[in-house]
Amino acid sequence: MGIREDILVLGLTAGVMGALVGGLMLALGLGMVTQGVHAGWVLVIPAAPIAGWIGKGLAKKLVKRLDDAGRI
């Protein structure tokens, strides 16, 4: 697999995983807040940063794998 394909798969995987995790946290948190449970803000506020950290973690994993294979 070439580097271009690796980057494409990284983007798709990070986008899907980030959207799933961040979206689920946002939906659950907002559902709780609209029901009057203010603890839902604990899920709403960090939803976007956590989704971004997933992509960053996947990127670090890809760089380590490519570095171990000697392709970068």
Side-chain angles (χ1 to χ4, degrees):
M1 194 179 222
I3 292 178
R4 286 183 184 175
E5 291 84 7
D6 289 332
I7 294 172
L8 177 65
V9 170
L10 168 67
L12 292 171
T13 305
V16 170
M17 290 296 296
L20 284 174
V21 171
L24 187 61
M25 287 178 67
L26 188 65
L28 289 174
L30 285 177
M32 290 172 67
V33 170
T34 57
Q35 296 295 319
V37 180
H38 295 294
W41 288 110
V42 174
L43 292 173
V44 173
I45 293 172
I50 288 176
W53 288 336
I54 290 172
K56 185 177 178 183
L58 289 171
K60 283 184 176 183
K61 187 173 148 183
L62 173 65
V63 167
K64 185 176 186 298
R65 188 173 54 109
L66 291 176
D67 193 30
D68 289 343
R71 294 199 293 183
I72 49 175

